[in-house]
Amino acid sequence: MILAFFDQFSSPHLFGVPLALLSTLLPTLLLPTPSTRWITNRLSTLQSWLIHTITKQLMTPLNSPGHKWALILMSLLMFLLTVNLLGLLPYTFTPTTQLSMNMALAFPLWLATLLTGLRNQPTASLGHLLPEGTPTPLIPALIVIETISLLIRPLALGVRLTANLTAGHLLIQLISTATITLLPTMTTLSILTATVLLLLTILEMAVAIIQAYVFVLLLSLYLQENI
């Protein structure tokens, strides 16, 4: 039974070929293609307005050099949004429940922000490792602690996204299993459980959106420290 609950997180295969890459690239085909026409359909208009609003929200704290990252961060946000939300559909695979994939997204981008700071302003970037006014005996220990906290950032990004999505999927499967099991014998309790399942599904949709936004927001904050 325990293995059956975790089977949903295993990468699907067809004729021995893993379908994780297909489930990663397919959601991008569902997004409406931007157009240069002045008048477009409502979906394209809503998409453009949403992208403009989120881009403005993310780029406002950054200075001009940080605005070069707008395309990368917004592409990552749209990718995470579509993958997380489509993963809530029945009989689908959510690639972002895999820690390896989340780390593959988090580590290179975090490293890019770090290298950007070390190249443009090495003194200020290294200055984050030692706060001003630190007593002399505490300097070696504090540098070690700040270095560890710096290196653990990509791990925290990947684990946060993986843990939230995995926990939500497990709760949905547990409650749906309870609903089906109780239906023949305890119909009233089964209906109550189905109501809880509906509310949990709505909550998971919000979690999928929020976690995608938090992932990109933290990357923009890391970038803000290094430019």
Side-chain angles (χ1 to χ4, degrees), residues 29-107:
L29 300 178
L30 302 178
L31 297 175
T33 305
S35 175
T36 55
R37 295 180 299 176
W38 284 18
I39 300 178
T40 58
N41 55 34
R42 293 181 178 87
L43 186 58
S44 298
T45 304
L46 179 62
Q47 180 190 5
S48 300
W49 172 81
L50 184 62
I51 291 177
H52 174 74
T53 303
I54 298 177
T55 304
K56 184 178 179 181
Q57 184 73 22
L58 289 175
M59 295 295 111
T60 298
L62 302 178
N63 52 19
S64 298
H67 295 173
K68 300 176 182 178
W69 288 66
L71 180 59
I72 297 176
L73 295 179
M74 282 308 303
S75 300
L76 178 63
L77 178 61
M78 296 302 295
F79 169 74
L80 292 177
L81 277 177
T82 53
V83 170
N84 291 352
L85 291 175
L86 290 177
L88 294 173
L89 296 176
Y91 304 104
T92 55
F93 171 69
T94 312
T96 45
T97 56
Q98 306 294 317
L99 181 60
S100 57
M101 176 177 172
N102 295 333
M103 289 300 299
L105 293 174
F107 184 78

Side-chain angles (χ1 to χ4, degrees), residues 80 84 95-107 151-168 207 211-212 214-215 218 222:
L80 292 177
N84 291 352
T96 45
T97 56
Q98 306 294 317
L99 181 60
S100 57
M101 176 177 172
N102 295 333
M103 289 300 299
L105 293 174
F107 184 78
L151 296 178
I152 209 172
R153 284 180 174 180
L155 181 62
L157 282 176
V159 170
R160 180 187 294 108
L161 183 58
T162 304
N164 282 279
L165 295 181
T166 302
V207 169
Q211 289 303 315
V214 168
F215 191 94
L218 290 176
Y222 299 158

Side-chain angles (χ1 to χ4, degrees), residues 175-176 178-199:
I175 296 178
S176 60
T179 303
I180 297 174
T181 305
L182 295 173
L183 185 60
T185 57
M186 306 175 67
T187 307
T188 304
L189 186 57
S190 177
I191 294 175
L192 180 61
T193 310
T195 305
V196 175
L197 177 62
L198 177 61
L199 296 176

